[in-house]
Amino acid sequence: MVKDVIVKLGIGLALAMGLMNGARAAHDYTLDVGVDSLPNTHYSIVIFTPQGNTPNSRCMETWQVPAQPETITEDPNGKKSFHMTIRDKNSAPCTKKEKYNTWTFEIRNQATSPDTTNPYMVVASGTFQFYHDHKDGWQTKITAANTGSVNNTPANRTFVSSAMCGTSSTATLSNCLGTFVKGDSAADYIRIRIAYPAPAPKTGAAAAAKARK
């Protein structure tokens, strides 16, 4: 009987270790969200708290950040960027499943307020999404979309002007705006920049240089 108990315990331990080795623990990602360019200091960008639940969020442990809307601007009295940390979930039923989190934002202009009761005018709006999945290994990208604009922005120009990913803020960064970067830690640090008016798409060295701003 003792021998049977030992064998069963050994089998149980082996199975548990196998499951642990086959799973990836929850992972943190730091997002650095900032202004690329705005027409003047009357403009600001407001990033809102994610709404959660599909189709906005899936398989995330820490997703409700920023806890309050964050405003970024080129006004020297404001801040040009901010950081937030999200954490994905890789326990059942999310093991090796897609994980994503979506933010909405508005671009506002204080100088063109339509009336005295409204301190600003929304001139544009959009979204950006962190997307992470497992296909021949972990991969990550940022997707972006425009949801509104007063100046008829062309469909191929997003207000998210760049997204660069790397293992840290001091590492070499790679374009991840609509393009996957491969590796478990390839997007531990994500730098996102937003511009208005939306710039023309840039590629190659020009995109990398602009993203370093």
Side-chain angles (χ1 to χ4, degrees):
M1 177 180 284
V2 174
K3 181 178 180 181
D4 289 343
V5 171
I6 293 173
V7 169
K8 288 178 180 179
L9 286 173
I11 292 172
L13 181 60
L15 287 172
M17 291 182 66
L19 288 172
M20 291 175 64
N21 290 334
R24 181 183 64 88
H27 202 85
D28 288 352
Y29 310 84
T30 297
L31 280 70
D32 169 359
V33 183
V35 175
D36 180 347
S37 62
L38 292 170
N40 55 56
T41 56
H42 292 292
Y43 284 79
S44 62
I45 303 166
V46 181
I47 293 88
F48 296 98
T49 304
Q51 296 178 352
N53 300 317
T54 55
N56 304 302
S57 180
R58 183 177 189 272
C59 289
M60 301 295 298
E61 287 188 4
T62 304
W63 56 270
Q64 204 170 10
V65 291
Q68 301 293 329
E70 284 278 0
T71 300
I72 50 178
T73 178
E74 291 191 309
D75 186 331
N77 295 317
K79 55 184 174 182
K80 194 170 182 178
S81 65
F82 72 98
H83 291 74
M84 55 185 171
T85 299
I86 58 175
R87 173 176 291 182
D88 66 17
K89 181 179 181 181
N90 202 47
S91 56
C94 294
T95 306
K96 292 189 176 181
K97 301 295 185 181
E98 65 177 1
K99 311 160 200 310
Y100 53 83
N101 205 38
T102 310
W103 292 264
T104 61
F105 63 86
E106 289 180 352
I107 300 171
R108 299 174 175 178
N109 184 3
Q110 291 180 312
T112 56
S113 176
D115 57 64
T116 56
T117 61
N118 190 352
Y120 60 85
M121 176 181 180
V122 177
V123 297
S125 59
T127 67
F128 59 89
Q129 182 184 79
F130 161 86
Y131 185 87
H132 185 66
D133 72 0
H134 191 279
K135 292 180 180 177
D136 298 324
W138 290 105
Q139 56 184 8
T140 310
K141 68 179 177 180
I142 299 296
T143 60
N146 298 346
T147 56
S149 174
V150 297
N151 65 353
N152 298 316
T153 299
N156 68 331
R157 299 186 182 188
T158 62
F159 300 119
V160 175
S161 57
S162 67
M164 302 292 286
C165 293
T167 56
S168 71
S169 60
T170 58
T172 299
L173 303 181
S174 301
N175 175 46
C176 56
L177 181 57
T179 300
F180 280 111
V181 290
K182 304 283 188 177
D184 186 30
S185 300
D188 282 4
Y189 171 81
I190 305 171
R191 179 182 295 160
I192 296 170
R193 292 296 180 260
I194 302 172
Y196 181 83
K202 292 184 180 295
T203 59
K210 194 169 186 62
R212 285 193 290 270
K213 289 183 64 177

